[in-house]
Amino acid sequence: GESVGLHLPTLSVQEGDNSIINCAYSNSASDYFIWYKQESGKGPQFIIDIRSNMDKRQGQRVTVLLNKTVKHLSLQIAATQPGDSAVYFCAENHLTGNQFYFGTGTSLTVIP
Amino acid sequence: EAQVTQNPRYLITVTGKKLTVTCSQNMNHEYMSWYRQDPGLGLRQIYYSMNVEVTDKGDVPEGYKVSRKEKRNFPLILESPSPNQTSLYFCASTLLEGGKLFFGSGTQLSVL
C-alpha cells in the first residue's frame, strides 16, 4: 500500500536558523507533492507544491526539493521564525483518481 | 473569501447517538473528502466524492456515511458512534484535476 513518512517526528531550531524537514514516499507513480503546515487547533494550510517533473521549487522563505531517485522530498525554511512553529506534513497526490496520501508530520519548534 | 466550513468545531456525544458533521465549500470544487487525524497516524481518508451523487470509500470508511446531494455540501454521518471514532475530523476540497487540497478548521469529536 501507500506509505508516506517523515524522518523525524520533532525538530527544534533556533530562531533565524534554517530548518529542513524531510519526507520519504513509496510510490514512484505519484504526480504531485505538497507540503502543509498545521498550527495548533487549525486545519492544514498549503505551503508549497511541486510536480513530479521538477526537482526544486521556491516560494517565499521556503524551498521544496524532490529527489525521485531515492523518493525523497524536503522542505527548507529559511530564517526560521517563531510563527513557523507548527506541524508540517508532506502529501503525495496521484492525479489519476485524485488520491492524496499524507505523512505523519514533523513538529517544528522554534526557540527564540 | 474562499473557504471550507465545517460545523461544529467541537462535539461530545454518547455511544450510539447519531450525529452529522457538516461541510461546505464556496470554491465550486468537484472533489471533496473527509479525513480523520489521530496521534501518530497522520491524516487518513474516510470517504471522498468526485462530484454530485458520486461517493467512494477511502481507507477507513467503516462506521461512517456521506452524501453529496449538492456540489458545495458533503456531510459526514455517524449513524451509531463508538468510542473508537473519537478523533479530529477534517473536510477538504479541491478541483477534480487535482492540486492543492483546501481544508476546513476541523471538528474535534469525543464519543463517550
Side-chain angles (χ1 to χ4, degrees), chain A residues 33-73:
Chain A
F33 300 88
I34 314 161
W35 279 101
Y36 286 93
K37 173 185 180 182
Q38 186 176 17
E39 296 174 279
S40 181
K42 296 184 179 179
Q45 293 176 288
F46 171 87
I47 303 173
I48 192 167
D49 57 4
I50 188 168
R51 297 266 172 201
S52 59
N53 60 356
M54 302 170 67
D55 53 22
K56 181 179 180 179
R57 189 158 188 228
Q58 287 184 289
Q60 189 176 20
R61 283 202 305 120
V62 294
T63 301
V64 55
L65 299 177
L66 175 62
N67 186 330
K68 293 181 286 294
T69 303
V70 295
K71 297 179 191 171
H72 183 268
L73 189 70

mmCIF file of all heavy atoms in Angstrom, chain A residues 33-73:
data_model
loop_
_atom_site.group_PDB
_atom_site.id
_atom_site.type_symbol
_atom_site.label_atom_id
_atom_site.label_comp_id
_atom_site.label_asym_id
_atom_site.label_seq_id
_atom_site.Cartn_x
_atom_site.Cartn_y
_atom_site.Cartn_z
ATOM 1 N N PHE A 33 3.382 16.670 -5.304
ATOM 2 C CA PHE A 33 3.734 16.616 -3.890
ATOM 3 C C PHE A 33 3.457 17.973 -3.259
ATOM 4 O O PHE A 33 3.672 19.013 -3.890
ATOM 5 C CB PHE A 33 5.221 16.250 -3.731
ATOM 6 C CG PHE A 33 5.565 14.921 -4.326
ATOM 7 C CD1 PHE A 33 5.925 14.828 -5.666
ATOM 8 C CD2 PHE A 33 5.506 13.773 -3.568
ATOM 9 C CE1 PHE A 33 6.229 13.604 -6.236
ATOM 10 C CE2 PHE A 33 5.806 12.543 -4.131
ATOM 11 C CZ PHE A 33 6.164 12.467 -5.459
ATOM 12 N N ILE A 34 2.990 17.911 -2.029
ATOM 13 C CA ILE A 34 2.564 19.139 -1.364
ATOM 14 C C ILE A 34 3.088 19.140 0.070
ATOM 15 O O ILE A 34 3.141 18.091 0.722
ATOM 16 C CB ILE A 34 1.015 19.206 -1.289
ATOM 17 C CG1 ILE A 34 0.377 18.841 -2.624
ATOM 18 C CG2 ILE A 34 0.554 20.593 -0.845
ATOM 19 C CD1 ILE A 34 -1.083 18.443 -2.500
ATOM 20 N N TRP A 35 3.417 20.311 0.541
ATOM 21 C CA TRP A 35 3.739 20.497 1.967
ATOM 22 C C TRP A 35 2.645 21.335 2.601
ATOM 23 O O TRP A 35 2.218 22.357 2.054
ATOM 24 C CB TRP A 35 5.082 21.196 2.144
ATOM 25 C CG TRP A 35 6.245 20.283 2.012
ATOM 26 C CD1 TRP A 35 7.064 20.134 0.929
ATOM 27 C CD2 TRP A 35 6.746 19.379 3.010
ATOM 28 N NE1 TRP A 35 8.026 19.205 1.183
ATOM 29 C CE2 TRP A 35 7.869 18.727 2.463
ATOM 30 C CE3 TRP A 35 6.371 19.072 4.318
ATOM 31 C CZ2 TRP A 35 8.611 17.774 3.163
ATOM 32 C CZ3 TRP A 35 7.101 18.129 5.018
ATOM 33 C CH2 TRP A 35 8.209 17.494 4.443
ATOM 34 N N TYR A 36 2.209 20.853 3.778
ATOM 35 C CA TYR A 36 1.203 21.567 4.551
ATOM 36 C C TYR A 36 1.764 21.933 5.915
ATOM 37 O O TYR A 36 2.595 21.212 6.474
ATOM 38 C CB TYR A 36 -0.046 20.697 4.759
ATOM 39 C CG TYR A 36 -0.902 20.541 3.542
ATOM 40 C CD1 TYR A 36 -0.724 19.471 2.684
ATOM 41 C CD2 TYR A 36 -1.894 21.462 3.251
ATOM 42 C CE1 TYR A 36 -1.524 19.331 1.557
ATOM 43 C CE2 TYR A 36 -2.705 21.324 2.133
ATOM 44 C CZ TYR A 36 -2.506 20.256 1.291
ATOM 45 O OH TYR A 36 -3.295 20.113 0.179
ATOM 46 N N LYS A 37 1.241 23.023 6.455
ATOM 47 C CA LYS A 37 1.574 23.474 7.813
ATOM 48 C C LYS A 37 0.303 23.423 8.640
ATOM 49 O O LYS A 37 -0.746 23.909 8.201
ATOM 50 C CB LYS A 37 2.094 24.908 7.758
ATOM 51 C CG LYS A 37 2.329 25.561 9.109
ATOM 52 C CD LYS A 37 2.717 27.030 8.914
ATOM 53 C CE LYS A 37 2.963 27.710 10.258
ATOM 54 N NZ LYS A 37 3.284 29.160 10.080
ATOM 55 N N GLN A 38 0.395 22.809 9.819
ATOM 56 C CA GLN A 38 -0.772 22.753 10.685
ATOM 57 C C GLN A 38 -0.432 23.340 12.045
ATOM 58 O O GLN A 38 0.339 22.766 12.806
ATOM 59 C CB GLN A 38 -1.279 21.310 10.842
ATOM 60 C CG GLN A 38 -2.584 21.237 11.612
ATOM 61 C CD GLN A 38 -3.146 19.830 11.700
ATOM 62 O OE1 GLN A 38 -2.445 18.850 11.469
ATOM 63 N NE2 GLN A 38 -4.415 19.708 12.027
ATOM 64 N N GLU A 39 -1.036 24.467 12.351
ATOM 65 C CA GLU A 39 -0.869 25.092 13.663
ATOM 66 C C GLU A 39 -1.895 24.498 14.621
ATOM 67 O O GLU A 39 -2.932 23.963 14.208
ATOM 68 C CB GLU A 39 -1.048 26.597 13.535
ATOM 69 C CG GLU A 39 0.027 27.235 12.666
ATOM 70 C CD GLU A 39 -0.222 28.706 12.425
ATOM 71 O OE1 GLU A 39 -1.027 29.030 11.545
ATOM 72 O OE2 GLU A 39 0.383 29.530 13.141
ATOM 73 N N SER A 40 -1.585 24.619 15.886
ATOM 74 C CA SER A 40 -2.432 24.028 16.910
ATOM 75 C C SER A 40 -3.864 24.543 16.799
ATOM 76 O O SER A 40 -4.095 25.747 16.732
ATOM 77 C CB SER A 40 -1.860 24.362 18.289
ATOM 78 O OG SER A 40 -2.641 23.776 19.300
ATOM 79 N N GLY A 41 -4.823 23.615 16.723
ATOM 80 C CA GLY A 41 -6.225 23.991 16.676
ATOM 81 C C GLY A 41 -6.730 24.425 15.319
ATOM 82 O O GLY A 41 -7.868 24.896 15.193
ATOM 83 N N LYS A 42 -5.897 24.252 14.294
ATOM 84 C CA LYS A 42 -6.305 24.678 12.952
ATOM 85 C C LYS A 42 -6.175 23.534 11.960
ATOM 86 O O LYS A 42 -5.527 22.526 12.225
ATOM 87 C CB LYS A 42 -5.452 25.860 12.490
ATOM 88 C CG LYS A 42 -5.615 27.109 13.328
ATOM 89 C CD LYS A 42 -4.803 28.253 12.745
ATOM 90 C CE LYS A 42 -4.980 29.511 13.565
ATOM 91 N NZ LYS A 42 -4.176 30.641 13.018
ATOM 92 N N GLY A 43 -6.786 23.731 10.802
ATOM 93 C CA GLY A 43 -6.645 22.758 9.744
ATOM 94 C C GLY A 43 -5.344 22.956 8.991
ATOM 95 O O GLY A 43 -4.722 24.018 9.068
ATOM 96 N N PRO A 44 -4.876 21.943 8.277
ATOM 97 C CA PRO A 44 -3.643 22.070 7.490
ATOM 98 C C PRO A 44 -3.764 23.189 6.456
ATOM 99 O O PRO A 44 -4.799 23.329 5.808
ATOM 100 C CB PRO A 44 -3.521 20.705 6.811
ATOM 101 C CG PRO A 44 -4.306 19.768 7.668
ATOM 102 C CD PRO A 44 -5.442 20.589 8.196
ATOM 103 N N GLN A 45 -2.689 23.941 6.314
ATOM 104 C CA GLN A 45 -2.652 25.030 5.333
ATOM 105 C C GLN A 45 -1.580 24.736 4.296
ATOM 106 O O GLN A 45 -0.463 24.350 4.648
ATOM 107 C CB GLN A 45 -2.317 26.352 6.023
ATOM 108 C CG GLN A 45 -3.373 26.853 6.975
ATOM 109 C CD GLN A 45 -2.892 28.114 7.668
ATOM 110 O OE1 GLN A 45 -2.024 28.057 8.526
ATOM 111 N NE2 GLN A 45 -3.438 29.239 7.263
ATOM 112 N N PHE A 46 -1.904 24.969 3.056
ATOM 113 C CA PHE A 46 -0.972 24.768 1.955
ATOM 114 C C PHE A 46 0.242 25.685 2.098
ATOM 115 O O PHE A 46 0.102 26.878 2.400
ATOM 116 C CB PHE A 46 -1.698 25.058 0.641
ATOM 117 C CG PHE A 46 -0.809 25.106 -0.563
ATOM 118 C CD1 PHE A 46 -0.516 23.944 -1.261
ATOM 119 C CD2 PHE A 46 -0.277 26.297 -1.009
ATOM 120 C CE1 PHE A 46 0.279 23.983 -2.373
ATOM 121 C CE2 PHE A 46 0.526 26.345 -2.125
ATOM 122 C CZ PHE A 46 0.808 25.184 -2.810
ATOM 123 N N ILE A 47 1.444 25.116 1.894
ATOM 124 C CA ILE A 47 2.653 25.932 1.908
ATOM 125 C C ILE A 47 3.225 26.053 0.502
ATOM 126 O O ILE A 47 3.404 27.137 -0.032
ATOM 127 C CB ILE A 47 3.745 25.319 2.813
ATOM 128 C CG1 ILE A 47 3.247 25.126 4.238
ATOM 129 C CG2 ILE A 47 4.995 26.200 2.807
ATOM 130 C CD1 ILE A 47 4.245 24.365 5.091
ATOM 131 N N ILE A 48 3.539 24.917 -0.084
ATOM 132 C CA ILE A 48 4.186 24.891 -1.390
ATOM 133 C C ILE A 48 3.986 23.523 -2.014
ATOM 134 O O ILE A 48 3.783 22.531 -1.297
ATOM 135 C CB ILE A 48 5.695 25.231 -1.266
ATOM 136 C CG1 ILE A 48 6.323 25.501 -2.630
ATOM 137 C CG2 ILE A 48 6.447 24.138 -0.512
ATOM 138 C CD1 ILE A 48 7.706 26.130 -2.558
ATOM 139 N N ASP A 49 4.017 23.464 -3.320
ATOM 140 C CA ASP A 49 3.837 22.197 -4.012
ATOM 141 C C ASP A 49 4.893 22.048 -5.103
ATOM 142 O O ASP A 49 5.593 22.995 -5.448
ATOM 143 C CB ASP A 49 2.431 22.079 -4.603
ATOM 144 C CG ASP A 49 2.082 23.226 -5.555
ATOM 145 O OD1 ASP A 49 2.940 24.084 -5.823
ATOM 146 O OD2 ASP A 49 0.925 23.276 -6.005
ATOM 147 N N ILE A 50 4.981 20.845 -5.626
ATOM 148 C CA ILE A 50 5.932 20.581 -6.702
ATOM 149 C C ILE A 50 5.418 19.423 -7.547
ATOM 150 O O ILE A 50 4.903 18.429 -7.011
ATOM 151 C CB ILE A 50 7.343 20.286 -6.138
ATOM 152 C CG1 ILE A 50 8.377 20.218 -7.258
ATOM 153 C CG2 ILE A 50 7.359 19.004 -5.308
ATOM 154 C CD1 ILE A 50 9.816 20.232 -6.752
ATOM 155 N N ARG A 51 5.521 19.552 -8.842
ATOM 156 C CA ARG A 51 5.124 18.477 -9.756
ATOM 157 C C ARG A 51 6.257 17.461 -9.869
ATOM 158 O O ARG A 51 7.426 17.786 -9.658
ATOM 159 C CB ARG A 51 4.832 19.060 -11.140
ATOM 160 C CG ARG A 51 3.669 20.036 -11.149
ATOM 161 C CD ARG A 51 2.385 19.389 -11.505
ATOM 162 N NE ARG A 51 1.258 20.292 -11.332
ATOM 163 C CZ ARG A 51 0.007 19.879 -11.197
ATOM 164 N NH1 ARG A 51 -0.277 18.603 -11.223
ATOM 165 N NH2 ARG A 51 -0.964 20.745 -11.041
ATOM 166 N N SER A 52 5.917 16.275 -10.272
ATOM 167 C CA SER A 52 6.922 15.213 -10.335
ATOM 168 C C SER A 52 7.960 15.434 -11.430
ATOM 169 O O SER A 52 9.012 14.795 -11.428
ATOM 170 C CB SER A 52 6.241 13.859 -10.530
ATOM 171 O OG SER A 52 5.472 13.868 -11.714
ATOM 172 N N ASN A 53 7.686 16.358 -12.359
ATOM 173 C CA ASN A 53 8.655 16.622 -13.428
ATOM 174 C C ASN A 53 9.642 17.738 -13.053
ATOM 175 O O ASN A 53 10.406 18.213 -13.878
ATOM 176 C CB ASN A 53 7.947 16.963 -14.737
ATOM 177 C CG ASN A 53 7.070 18.187 -14.629
ATOM 178 O OD1 ASN A 53 6.925 18.758 -13.545
ATOM 179 N ND2 ASN A 53 6.473 18.594 -15.727
ATOM 180 N N MET A 54 9.598 18.156 -11.794
ATOM 181 C CA MET A 54 10.505 19.193 -11.300
ATOM 182 C C MET A 54 11.350 18.610 -10.178
ATOM 183 O O MET A 54 10.975 17.610 -9.563
ATOM 184 C CB MET A 54 9.705 20.377 -10.774
ATOM 185 C CG MET A 54 8.789 20.999 -11.798
ATOM 186 S SD MET A 54 7.663 22.199 -11.052
ATOM 187 C CE MET A 54 8.809 23.470 -10.553
ATOM 188 N N ASP A 55 12.474 19.265 -9.870
ATOM 189 C CA ASP A 55 13.251 18.810 -8.713
ATOM 190 C C ASP A 55 13.428 19.893 -7.656
ATOM 191 O O ASP A 55 13.896 19.616 -6.548
ATOM 192 C CB ASP A 55 14.609 18.248 -9.146
ATOM 193 C CG ASP A 55 15.379 19.207 -10.020
ATOM 194 O OD1 ASP A 55 15.099 20.413 -9.975
ATOM 195 O OD2 ASP A 55 16.269 18.751 -10.759
ATOM 196 N N LYS A 56 12.996 21.093 -7.975
ATOM 197 C CA LYS A 56 13.124 22.174 -6.993
ATOM 198 C C LYS A 56 12.084 23.242 -7.285
ATOM 199 O O LYS A 56 11.787 23.541 -8.450
ATOM 200 C CB LYS A 56 14.529 22.784 -7.076
ATOM 201 C CG LYS A 56 14.792 23.906 -6.101
ATOM 202 C CD LYS A 56 16.227 24.415 -6.248
ATOM 203 C CE LYS A 56 16.514 25.535 -5.270
ATOM 204 N NZ LYS A 56 17.917 26.016 -5.388
ATOM 205 N N ARG A 57 11.555 23.798 -6.207
ATOM 206 C CA ARG A 57 10.635 24.916 -6.369
ATOM 207 C C ARG A 57 10.793 25.832 -5.160
ATOM 208 O O ARG A 57 10.879 25.357 -4.023
ATOM 209 C CB ARG A 57 9.203 24.423 -6.480
ATOM 210 C CG ARG A 57 8.227 25.511 -6.866
ATOM 211 C CD ARG A 57 6.965 24.982 -7.471
ATOM 212 N NE ARG A 57 6.175 26.087 -7.993
ATOM 213 C CZ ARG A 57 4.894 26.248 -7.772
ATOM 214 N NH1 ARG A 57 4.251 25.388 -7.025
ATOM 215 N NH2 ARG A 57 4.247 27.275 -8.284
ATOM 216 N N GLN A 58 10.782 27.128 -5.417
ATOM 217 C CA GLN A 58 10.995 28.080 -4.323
ATOM 218 C C GLN A 58 9.797 28.968 -4.139
ATOM 219 O O GLN A 58 9.146 29.388 -5.091
ATOM 220 C CB GLN A 58 12.230 28.935 -4.615
ATOM 221 C CG GLN A 58 13.534 28.174 -4.454
ATOM 222 C CD GLN A 58 14.746 29.075 -4.643
ATOM 223 O OE1 GLN A 58 15.016 29.490 -5.751
ATOM 224 N NE2 GLN A 58 15.459 29.332 -3.591
ATOM 225 N N GLY A 59 9.524 29.252 -2.860
ATOM 226 C CA GLY A 59 8.485 30.214 -2.535
ATOM 227 C C GLY A 59 9.099 31.282 -1.658
ATOM 228 O O GLY A 59 10.322 31.464 -1.625
ATOM 229 N N GLN A 60 8.256 31.942 -0.912
ATOM 230 C CA GLN A 60 8.770 32.967 -0.019
ATOM 231 C C GLN A 60 9.332 32.299 1.228
ATOM 232 O O GLN A 60 8.611 31.712 2.011
ATOM 233 C CB GLN A 60 7.633 33.915 0.370
ATOM 234 C CG GLN A 60 8.108 35.143 1.112
ATOM 235 C CD GLN A 60 6.968 36.110 1.394
ATOM 236 O OE1 GLN A 60 5.801 35.733 1.372
ATOM 237 N NE2 GLN A 60 7.292 37.346 1.647
ATOM 238 N N ARG A 61 10.601 32.303 1.403
ATOM 239 C CA ARG A 61 11.338 31.692 2.519
ATOM 240 C C ARG A 61 11.281 30.171 2.536
ATOM 241 O O ARG A 61 11.841 29.524 3.412
ATOM 242 C CB ARG A 61 10.853 32.204 3.900
ATOM 243 C CG ARG A 61 11.330 33.556 4.287
ATOM 244 C CD ARG A 61 11.289 33.759 5.804
ATOM 245 N NE ARG A 61 9.993 33.503 6.383
ATOM 246 C CZ ARG A 61 9.750 32.573 7.306
ATOM 247 N NH1 ARG A 61 10.720 31.791 7.750
ATOM 248 N NH2 ARG A 61 8.525 32.409 7.788
ATOM 249 N N VAL A 62 10.587 29.561 1.626
ATOM 250 C CA VAL A 62 10.508 28.098 1.593
ATOM 251 C C VAL A 62 10.978 27.564 0.249
ATOM 252 O O VAL A 62 10.781 28.200 -0.779
ATOM 253 C CB VAL A 62 9.081 27.581 1.898
ATOM 254 C CG1 VAL A 62 8.683 27.891 3.329
ATOM 255 C CG2 VAL A 62 8.080 28.132 0.910
ATOM 256 N N THR A 63 11.586 26.398 0.309
ATOM 257 C CA THR A 63 12.046 25.698 -0.886
ATOM 258 C C THR A 63 11.693 24.237 -0.732
ATOM 259 O O THR A 63 11.896 23.662 0.353
ATOM 260 C CB THR A 63 13.572 25.824 -1.058
ATOM 261 O OG1 THR A 63 13.920 27.196 -1.148
ATOM 262 C CG2 THR A 63 14.045 25.098 -2.321
ATOM 263 N N VAL A 64 11.161 23.645 -1.767
ATOM 264 C CA VAL A 64 10.897 22.212 -1.745
ATOM 265 C C VAL A 64 11.833 21.552 -2.747
ATOM 266 O O VAL A 64 12.014 22.042 -3.866
ATOM 267 C CB VAL A 64 9.417 21.883 -2.048
ATOM 268 C CG1 VAL A 64 8.957 22.481 -3.357
ATOM 269 C CG2 VAL A 64 9.170 20.390 -2.020
ATOM 270 N N LEU A 65 12.457 20.469 -2.322
ATOM 271 C CA LEU A 65 13.353 19.687 -3.166
ATOM 272 C C LEU A 65 12.771 18.295 -3.335
ATOM 273 O O LEU A 65 12.311 17.691 -2.357
ATOM 274 C CB LEU A 65 14.746 19.593 -2.535
ATOM 275 C CG LEU A 65 15.482 20.908 -2.325
ATOM 276 C CD1 LEU A 65 16.811 20.647 -1.623
ATOM 277 C CD2 LEU A 65 15.721 21.625 -3.637
ATOM 278 N N LEU A 66 12.795 17.803 -4.553
ATOM 279 C CA LEU A 66 12.268 16.474 -4.848
ATOM 280 C C LEU A 66 13.368 15.629 -5.474
ATOM 281 O O LEU A 66 13.924 16.005 -6.509
ATOM 282 C CB LEU A 66 11.075 16.576 -5.805
ATOM 283 C CG LEU A 66 10.466 15.278 -6.306
ATOM 284 C CD1 LEU A 66 9.900 14.465 -5.137
ATOM 285 C CD2 LEU A 66 9.380 15.558 -7.337
ATOM 286 N N ASN A 67 13.665 14.522 -4.856
ATOM 287 C CA ASN A 67 14.644 13.578 -5.394
ATOM 288 C C ASN A 67 13.905 12.283 -5.711
ATOM 289 O O ASN A 67 13.636 11.462 -4.833
ATOM 290 C CB ASN A 67 15.759 13.327 -4.378
ATOM 291 C CG ASN A 67 16.870 12.459 -4.940
ATOM 292 O OD1 ASN A 67 16.635 11.605 -5.800
ATOM 293 N ND2 ASN A 67 18.076 12.656 -4.467
ATOM 294 N N LYS A 68 13.579 12.126 -6.985
ATOM 295 C CA LYS A 68 12.785 10.966 -7.377
ATOM 296 C C LYS A 68 13.591 9.669 -7.342
ATOM 297 O O LYS A 68 13.029 8.592 -7.218
ATOM 298 C CB LYS A 68 12.181 11.210 -8.765
ATOM 299 C CG LYS A 68 11.145 12.336 -8.775
ATOM 300 C CD LYS A 68 10.539 12.541 -10.134
ATOM 301 C CE LYS A 68 11.487 13.212 -11.098
ATOM 302 N NZ LYS A 68 11.797 14.616 -10.696
ATOM 303 N N THR A 69 14.890 9.794 -7.463
ATOM 304 C CA THR A 69 15.744 8.605 -7.469
ATOM 305 C C THR A 69 15.627 7.853 -6.149
ATOM 306 O O THR A 69 15.535 6.619 -6.121
ATOM 307 C CB THR A 69 17.212 8.988 -7.715
ATOM 308 O OG1 THR A 69 17.288 9.700 -8.955
ATOM 309 C CG2 THR A 69 18.095 7.756 -7.767
ATOM 310 N N VAL A 70 15.628 8.616 -5.052
ATOM 311 C CA VAL A 70 15.535 7.985 -3.737
ATOM 312 C C VAL A 70 14.169 8.218 -3.094
ATOM 313 O O VAL A 70 13.982 7.917 -1.921
ATOM 314 C CB VAL A 70 16.670 8.472 -2.808
ATOM 315 C CG1 VAL A 70 18.017 8.019 -3.330
ATOM 316 C CG2 VAL A 70 16.636 9.983 -2.663
ATOM 317 N N LYS A 71 13.241 8.761 -3.856
ATOM 318 C CA LYS A 71 11.865 9.018 -3.385
ATOM 319 C C LYS A 71 11.874 9.838 -2.096
ATOM 320 O O LYS A 71 11.330 9.426 -1.061
ATOM 321 C CB LYS A 71 11.135 7.701 -3.176
ATOM 322 C CG LYS A 71 10.960 6.905 -4.459
ATOM 323 C CD LYS A 71 10.243 5.600 -4.185
ATOM 324 C CE LYS A 71 10.313 4.693 -5.391
ATOM 325 N NZ LYS A 71 9.816 3.343 -5.077
ATOM 326 N N HIS A 72 12.486 10.985 -2.185
ATOM 327 C CA HIS A 72 12.675 11.833 -1.021
ATOM 328 C C HIS A 72 12.241 13.260 -1.341
ATOM 329 O O HIS A 72 12.519 13.782 -2.420
ATOM 330 C CB HIS A 72 14.151 11.792 -0.615
ATOM 331 C CG HIS A 72 14.451 12.567 0.615
ATOM 332 N ND1 HIS A 72 14.843 13.890 0.575
ATOM 333 C CD2 HIS A 72 14.424 12.214 1.925
ATOM 334 C CE1 HIS A 72 15.037 14.305 1.797
ATOM 335 N NE2 HIS A 72 14.807 13.324 2.636
ATOM 336 N N LEU A 73 11.586 13.853 -0.382
ATOM 337 C CA LEU A 73 11.063 15.213 -0.508
ATOM 338 C C LEU A 73 11.531 15.994 0.715
ATOM 339 O O LEU A 73 11.526 15.451 1.827
ATOM 340 C CB LEU A 73 9.532 15.124 -0.517
ATOM 341 C CG LEU A 73 8.672 16.319 -0.824
ATOM 342 C CD1 LEU A 73 8.797 16.706 -2.284
ATOM 343 C CD2 LEU A 73 7.217 15.979 -0.508
#
